[in-house]
Amino acid sequence: MAVNRQWVLRRRPKGPIQDGDLELVEAALPDLREHEVRVRTVYLSLDPTNRTWMNDAEGYLPPVGLGEVMRGLTIGVVEASRSDRFTQGQVVSPLAGTWSDYAVVPADGLRQIHRVPGLPLTANASVLGMTGLTAYFGVTDVLRPQAGETLVISAAAGAVGSIAGQIAKARGARVIGIAGGPDKCRWLIEDLGFDAAIDYKGEDVGMALDRLAPDGVEMNFENVGGDIMMAVFNRLKVHGRMAVCGLVSTYNATRMPPSPNFGRLITHRLRVQGFLVMDYAQRAREMVMEMAPLVTDGRIKWKVHVEDGLENAVTSLNRLFTGDHDGKLLVRVSEEPS
Ligand SMILES: NC(=O)c1ccc[n+]([C@@H]2O[C@H](COP(=O)([O-])OP(=O)(O)OC[C@H]3O[C@@H](n4cnc5c(N)ncnc54)[C@H](OP(=O)(O)O)[C@@H]3O)[C@@H](O)[C@H]2O)c1
């Protein structure tokens, strides 16, 4: 019987994750009981929010406990089943996935993955998975762009931001992306069709926005927080809308950055709305129906950055906070089924 490697949280990180905060341990795989399924992990999704689950703080999910296996979104293949709902070889995703080689779960804790013909499995772990769902409903349900309005997206070359920008462009918005470095900015404009890009590592975001949108902007799809968010917030026009998707710049922080000036909410009658992708899980089909044809024929472009080996999950996760990745960050834990 194969050994199951699992990443266990040993210590709550202070700042960026350090050696020893998590430990890779080996556990024996239990025999399957009735209605249980054994899933071999193929892809582990690394997401900025993983870092927030390591903190002992109020969140949208309980913190991962010390001594517990790290939580994470995974896609895998059924290796053995004692349920008549799943058979060997099916591609599935556990509802409560973990950073491990295998999951042994009850059948009602699994959902089947529906592949889109012509697209690799990595699409289900990115543009047509949780990432796409976040981008799609953040734009279409929270922001609802009107043709001609200007949208600013931070972490725009990242997994969510790059898709959100393309969806907004398809709905007629003018899109300005904020990203770190000339290569990412060039990709946004030349390949994705963004109207402009701001390299926040090379220029002041506020000054760049004043140049690109001297009268202000209607919308902000916020992924970063901190100074970048503040620069955009302070340039929202009257009746501006802000979708607060994430605050990645704060996830490793030991002290929270200053808040925006709430007075501006009143003077500019702003609507600021946080949202969570899990609230849209029941509407995934809606997103896939609209996006799958656009992804298949290349009108929506997407990238994945795949790191090999469960043993590299922790060092790979840190890439999300340095920007040292090119697309949706995944770990290939084992080979895809043929
Ligand atoms: N609300 C939800 O349900 C939901 C769901 C999924 C994701 N999210 C949020 O969406 C955001 C993007 O997630 P993702 O999975 O698509 O990750 P991602 O954008 O692919 O990767 C994170 C990116 O954030 C940027 N970044 C990191 N630290 C930064 C800092 N201090 N200042 C400026 N930029 C920084 C980096 O881009 P550069 O190289 O450009 O610096 C990095 O590549 C995150 O905030 C995440 O928490 C929310």
Side-chain angles (χ1 to χ4, degrees):
M1 174 58 67
V3 162
N4 191 17
R5 294 173 307 157
Q6 306 175 313
W7 277 105
V8 169
L9 184 64
R10 292 289 182 216
R11 205 166 51 197
R12 303 218 174 270
K14 293 191 173 49
I17 302 168
Q18 305 292 327
D19 284 351
D21 290 343
L22 289 103
E23 185 190 2
L24 190 61
V25 302
E26 293 187 352
L29 270 170
D31 291 334
L32 288 188
R33 290 178 299 195
E34 207 181 340
H35 306 302
E36 280 188 340
V37 179
R38 185 170 74 242
V39 179
R40 169 170 59 82
T41 309
V42 176
Y43 288 111
L44 165 66
S45 173
L46 293 181
D47 299 292
T49 196
N50 296 160
R51 176 63 188 81
T52 70
W53 297 339
M54 297 175 191
N55 296 337
D56 188 15
E58 186 187 6
Y60 60 95
L61 290 175
V64 174
L66 294 180
E68 285 180 8
V69 181
M70 183 58 201
R71 179 195 297 139
L73 214 57
T74 61
I75 287 181
V77 60
V78 173
E79 272 208 346
S81 174
R82 289 194 60 196
S83 158
D84 50 15
R85 290 176 50 201
F86 291 98
T87 54
Q88 206 181 9
Q90 263 182 304
V91 179
V92 293
S93 179
L95 299 179
T98 53
W99 291 24
S100 51
D101 286 316
Y102 296 92
V104 173
V105 286
D108 60 9
L110 276 182
R111 71 183 171 88
Q112 195 184 336
I113 294 290
H114 299 283
R115 308 257 325 240
V116 175
L119 292 179
L121 184 57
T122 49
N124 293 87
S126 58
V127 62
L128 294 177
M130 185 275 290
T131 299
L133 201 62
T134 310
Y136 182 83
F137 285 108
V139 172
T140 62
D141 195 60
V142 181
L143 288 173
R144 301 175 188 234
Q146 303 296 310
E149 289 186 322
T150 297
L151 166 64
V152 181
I153 304 183
S154 53
V160 172
S162 59
I163 306 302
Q166 294 178 81
I167 294 168
K169 278 298 297 174
R171 281 166 163 69
R174 173 176 180 242
V175 178
I176 301 173
I178 303 173
D183 291 343
K184 289 188 178 184
C185 287
R186 202 172 306 116
W187 181 63
L188 292 179
I189 295 173
E190 293 180 4
D191 292 337
L192 304 194
F194 281 36
D195 297 279
I198 299 170
D199 172 5
Y200 74 90
K201 291 183 175 168
E203 60 183 322
D204 179 83
V205 172
M207 284 167 65
L209 284 172
D210 289 341
R211 171 170 48 82
L212 293 166
D215 298 328
V217 301
E218 282 84 8
M219 294 171 292
N220 175 207
F221 191 113
E222 188 51 47
N223 287 317
V224 169
D227 291 343
I228 290 177
M229 176 180 80
M230 212 78 99
V232 186
F233 178 84
N234 287 335
R235 286 161 180 81
L236 284 171
K237 287 182 179 177
V238 170
H239 297 303
R241 289 104 74 201
M242 181 171 172
V244 187
C245 176
L247 302 173
V248 65
S249 73
T250 69
Y251 296 169
N252 277 322
T254 46
R255 199 183 299 164
M256 283 299 117
S259 297
N261 170 15
F262 267 35
R264 209 178 158 84
L265 294 175
I266 306 167
T267 57
H268 287 63
R269 286 83 94 198
L270 302 177
R271 181 166 66 78
V272 177
Q273 185 183 330
F275 71 100
L276 276 175
V277 63
M278 55 202 231
D279 293 340
Y280 292 100
Q282 299 307 320
R283 294 174 66 184
R285 195 178 149 76
E286 220 178 289
M287 178 276 290
V288 173
M289 293 298 282
E290 180 171 337
M291 300 260 291
L294 304 176
V295 174
T296 306
D297 72 12
R299 272 178 288 166
I300 285 192
K301 299 185 174 62
W302 56 290
K303 284 184 185 174
V304 288
H305 178 126
V306 180
E307 292 278 311
D308 272 310
L310 182 66
E311 63 280 8
N312 296 317
V314 173
T315 43
S316 299
L317 183 71
N318 280 331
R319 291 175 180 272
L320 292 169
F321 304 101
T322 58
D324 183 21
H325 64 109
D326 193 18
K328 171 76 193 91
L329 187 58
L330 302 174
V331 173
R332 183 167 27 223
V333 177
S334 67
E335 284 308 310
E336 284 192 24
S338 50

